[in-house]
Each structure stands twice: as C-alpha cells, then as structure tokens.
Amino acid sequence: MRSADHRRINDAFQVFDHDLNNTVDVREMGAIVRSLGCFPTEAELLDIIDEVEEPTGFICFERFLPTMSKILMEHKFSPIPEDMLLMAFEVLDQQKKGYLESDELTNYMRHGDEPFSQQEIEEMMSSAVGPDSNAVHYKDFVNKMVLDGQT
C-alpha cells in the first residue's frame, strides 16, 4: 500500500477519533468510508462493519486500515459518474425545472429502495440546498460533488 493512501485513511479516521485512542464509534463508519471517496450501499457498509467491528461496538484503526486499504486498492464502491447522477436527478425532476424542492428530495430519500437515515439526509441537505432558496439545483450540486471528490 502506498504511504499516501495510508495517510488518507489515517486522516479520515482521526477526524472521528474524538477520544484520541485509535478507535471510533461504529456509527461513524459510513461517514469515514464516504469521506474516502467510497460509496457502498447500506448492506455493503454493514459487511465492512462486520469485518472490522470490535465486540465493544467500536472500530480500531488497526483492523480498519487493512480493510480500507484493500477497498481503495481494488477501487471498490467508486462514486457514480457525473452523467449518471444528473440523469437520476432529472428523472426525479419531472417538470424539468433544473431543481428539486428540499422537501421533495427529502421525501425521495426517505422512501426510496434504500432509504437514507435522518443523519444522512441532514448531511446531504446541508450541502445541497442553495443558500438563497429551499431547493437543490442539482446541476450545481453534482458539479460540486464531482469537484470535491477530486481533491
């Protein structure tokens, strides 16, 4: 494994290691994995958790590092391409307005095939809803997500 990957994994993990003891709460796993540019389904995330979770309900960095390294090296759970994200939003935007009202998008997120948790909905809405509106202008949002993912 490259030292740059090791550093990225370590940095992402440390953000959530509030007690500075090389462990994180299992509930932080989704955020950590996604911050590394991997986007597993909830079922896939549970499989990862099963592999690394301690009986205490915490994740130790020593177990997390090799699992996450393998995921990154195999390019598992890569983000969805920009054009596919746009198409998904366009399907939801039946009136072809170029945006979705925040309550409309929240409803889709709650009642889809793989419903989002309340925390996931809040995280997305905090970055997706425009500052001057109560809407998600999805072309701008997808563009921002793609640029953020390249850093």
Side-chain angles (χ1 to χ4, degrees):
M1 174 182 56
R2 299 181 335 210
S3 64
D5 288 336
H6 182 277
R7 189 171 33 259
R8 275 184 58 216
I9 295 168
N10 182 61
D11 290 349
F13 192 90
Q14 296 309 316
V15 168
F16 296 93
D17 182 5
H18 305 296
D19 294 332
L20 305 174
N21 62 0
N22 281 330
T23 64
V24 295
D25 189 297
V26 70
R27 295 172 291 190
E28 306 283 8
M29 267 303 274
I32 297 168
V33 170
R34 288 183 197 98
S35 76
L36 290 165
C38 298
F39 300 91
T41 64
E42 283 304 306
E44 292 166 332
L45 182 60
L46 289 175
D47 288 343
I48 297 168
I49 290 170
D50 285 345
E51 191 173 329
V52 298
E53 184 179 11
E54 299 290 330
T56 60
F58 285 87
I59 307 294
C60 292
F61 183 72
E62 293 77 28
R63 289 187 71 182
F64 179 73
L65 178 62
T67 298
M68 199 64 222
S69 298
K70 182 178 179 191
I71 288 169
L72 289 177
M73 288 185 340
E74 293 175 358
H75 302 286
K76 279 185 160 182
F77 316 122
S78 296
I80 298 170
E82 180 178 3
D83 60 336
M84 290 185 71
L85 285 172
L86 279 174
M87 286 191 310
F89 277 109
E90 288 168 353
V91 166
L92 300 176
D93 179 16
Q94 295 177 359
Q95 290 82 31
K96 308 297 181 213
K97 303 174 290 193
Y99 65 89
L100 295 169
E101 299 291 336
S102 63
D103 58 343
E104 180 183 16
L105 183 55
T106 298
N107 187 47
Y108 287 128
M109 293 173 73
R110 278 200 181 108
H111 302 291
D113 289 340
E114 285 195 39
F116 288 71
S117 71
Q118 184 61 34
Q119 180 181 355
E120 290 169 325
I121 292 171
E122 290 170 7
E123 286 174 9
M124 179 174 168
M125 295 313 240
S126 70
S127 63
V129 175
D132 300 328
S133 68
N134 195 27
V136 177
H137 294 267
Y138 52 84
K139 288 180 183 175
D140 294 337
F141 179 60
V142 168
N143 187 44
K144 178 184 181 303
M145 286 185 352
V146 170
L147 290 176
D148 288 350
Q150 293 174 356
T151 59

